[in-house]
Amino acid sequence: MMKKKFFYVITIQYLGYRFHGWQKQPNVKTLHLMVDRTLNFILNKKPFKTLVSGRTDAMVSAENAAFELFLEEPIEDFEAFLELFNYNLPQDIRAKSIREVDNKFNIIQSSKTKEYIYIFAFGGKFHPFCAPIMTTILDPLNIEIMQKGAKLFEGRHYLKNYCFRPTNNGVYEREIDTCEIVENTLYTANFFPEKTYMLRVRGKGFMRNQIRLMMGALINLGRGEITLDDIKSSLTPENTVAIDYVAPASGLILHKLEFD
């Protein structure tokens, strides 16, 4: 007789600065390793499995991420479970909520919208405490032209140039709902520079390093190394402009994750 299984979605947030991304890897500390290690302890080594909605790279943080938890026994008290889970997680990972789902739910295949933000400042050497969530560009940047460049990404475009190590079999026609550069008012601290900015990108799905390659192109645009026409060209199959600057990871945050 097949055992009944129980399915839960847990939302978490984390500071990714000291982790080598989500996915487990030999001999390095990853988010998945720490989450599973903690679950193994609080579940008293009972069988379980975890599956994440999408993997983040090394040093990337998340305000709202999610993973699916598969169990052979039900969780009776959600509040007590979250309290115990958080008590044992390291301080840079926090579980926010838990809900039960049915066996038809698939956290990877379920339609979802993600919003990423990339926080940056420019023109100086700022406090080292900024490093975990902000990228500092020492050179001056033309924010106005970067804002115009960001808007060019909105809509449906050919984004193979914004995928790290693309293959010939990928689907590179992608749609971006929102892409804008605005002043950062989400995250503040007394050691932040006076003015900081963020790239905000919202869409259904993103390829490996896509946001960081987009940010890298916009930084090069702000430096005057490429033009708005180069950005337009990079969004077509006929592109000849090299898009190869991957912006540092620590400025990137998965801000929102919404299941449709």
Side-chain angles (χ1 to χ4, degrees):
M1 182 177 177
M2 187 177 293
K3 287 185 178 180
K4 183 179 180 181
K5 292 188 177 181
F6 300 88
F7 310 86
Y8 303 91
V9 171
I10 297 176
T11 60
I12 59 171
Q13 54 190 187
Y14 51 81
L15 181 66
Y17 197 63
R18 73 183 182 102
F19 294 104
H20 289 260
W22 176 269
Q23 186 176 6
K24 290 180 184 177
Q25 303 170 55
N27 305 317
V28 295
K29 186 173 291 185
T30 69
L31 290 147
H32 197 183
L33 173 68
M34 299 308 296
V35 165
D36 275 11
R37 184 180 290 176
T38 305
L39 287 168
N40 187 54
F41 175 74
I42 69 173
L43 293 170
N44 295 316
K45 299 185 177 180
K46 293 176 183 175
F48 73 92
K49 179 183 175 182
T50 54
L51 192 63
V52 73
S53 64
R55 297 174 295 184
T56 48
D57 292 335
M59 302 178 73
V60 175
S61 299
E63 184 75 47
N64 287 284
F67 67 89
E68 193 169 359
L69 174 63
F70 304 82
L71 294 174
E72 294 181 359
E73 297 180 11
I75 297 174
E76 302 292 350
D77 186 333
F78 285 2
E79 186 174 340
F81 176 87
L82 280 180
E83 184 176 353
L84 183 62
F85 192 24
N86 278 317
Y87 187 85
N88 288 280
L89 281 168
Q91 65 177 4
D92 40 11
I93 307 175
R94 174 177 175 247
K96 296 177 62 181
S97 67
I98 181 172
R99 64 185 175 96
E100 188 169 6
V101 293
D102 59 31
N103 61 358
K104 296 177 183 176
F105 181 83
N106 184 303
I107 199 163
I108 295 177
Q109 296 178 359
S110 292
S111 180
K112 50 191 169 284
T113 300
K114 293 181 178 180
E115 181 179 284
Y116 283 94
I117 60 172
Y118 191 101
I119 301 177
F120 67 101
F122 69 92
K125 184 73 172 182
F126 304 119
H127 199 295
F129 289 1
C130 298
I133 63 167
M134 183 187 302
T135 289
T136 298
I137 307 300
L138 297 177
D139 306 313
L141 295 177
N142 183 334
I143 291 295
E144 185 176 345
I145 198 169
M146 290 174 68
Q147 289 173 324
K148 293 178 180 177
K151 283 296 178 183
L152 295 176
F153 287 100
E154 291 185 344
R156 192 164 189 84
H157 300 287
Y158 184 77
L159 296 174
K160 185 176 183 180
N161 298 300
Y162 295 91
C163 178
F164 182 70
R165 292 180 180 172
T167 67
N168 292 326
N169 302 319
V171 178
Y172 300 112
E173 284 280 346
R174 301 290 182 108
E175 186 158 1
I176 294 176
D177 299 329
T178 302
C179 187
E180 61 181 358
I181 289 178
V182 296
E183 271 196 51
N184 165 43
T185 57
L186 284 176
Y187 298 94
T188 60
N190 60 8
F191 51 81
F192 274 18
E194 182 178 346
K195 188 168 284 190
T196 62
Y197 298 88
M198 67 179 187
L199 171 70
R200 188 170 75 95
V201 185
R202 183 179 176 87
K204 286 287 186 185
F206 298 96
M207 299 173 290
R208 187 180 180 192
N209 283 356
Q210 179 182 330
I211 307 296
R212 291 169 61 194
L213 280 161
M214 290 168 59
M215 187 68 219
L218 291 171
I219 290 170
N220 285 340
L221 176 67
R223 286 170 170 157
E225 296 176 5
I226 61 174
T227 67
L228 288 172
D229 284 339
D230 290 331
I231 296 287
K232 290 178 183 177
S233 176
S234 73
L235 301 174
T236 67
E238 297 78 24
N239 172 63
T240 58
V241 179
I243 303 296
D244 52 13
Y245 174 39
V246 182
S250 57
L252 184 59
I253 299 171
L254 174 57
H255 185 235
K256 291 179 181 178
L257 174 65
E258 299 166 354
F259 292 98
D260 297 340

